[in-house]
Amino acid sequence: MPRGPKGEKRPADVIGNAVHVMRIATGEIEEHEPSLEKQVKRAKAVSRGKARAAKLTPVQRAEIAKLAAQTRWKKSR
C-alpha cells in the first residue's frame, strides 16, 4: 500500500480512497493530524536554521553548499 509524505498508509486505488474518505466523513475512523508538539518542534528547527544562515558569511554558506552537493553525488553513485 502506498505511503504518504508523513508515512501514513493510503489506499492505492480511487475506489479505496473514496471509501476511506467516506469512513472519515461518517466518523467510522478518525483522521490523524500531526500533534501540536511535532508542529512546534518543526517550527523551532526552521527558525534555528534561519538564524544560523543569517550569521554565516557568503563564503561559509558556499562551502557548506559544496559539501552538501558532494555528499548527495556520492550517495547516488
Side-chain angles (χ1 to χ4, degrees):
M1 185 174 289
R3 297 209 176 259
K6 296 178 186 159
E8 70 273 7
K9 291 183 180 179
R10 292 188 175 173
D13 60 329
V14 176
I15 303 228
N17 193 27
V19 170
H20 184 74
V21 169
M22 183 264 319
R23 287 184 178 155
I24 291 172
T26 59
E28 286 183 45
I29 59 174
E30 290 185 21
E31 185 175 18
H32 297 285
E33 293 184 16
S35 69
L36 183 59
E37 292 174 13
K38 287 183 182 180
Q39 292 174 357
V40 170
K41 284 182 183 179
R42 258 187 245 128
K44 285 182 181 178
V46 168
S47 66
R48 279 193 302 265
K50 287 182 181 179
R52 179 174 181 249
K55 292 177 184 177
L56 294 173
T57 66
V59 173
Q60 290 172 323
R61 283 197 304 270
E63 289 175 6
I64 291 169
K66 286 178 187 176
L67 180 61
Q70 289 173 353
T71 303
R72 282 193 302 271
W73 279 102
K74 193 183 298 184
K75 286 182 181 179
S76 67
R77 290 184 187 174

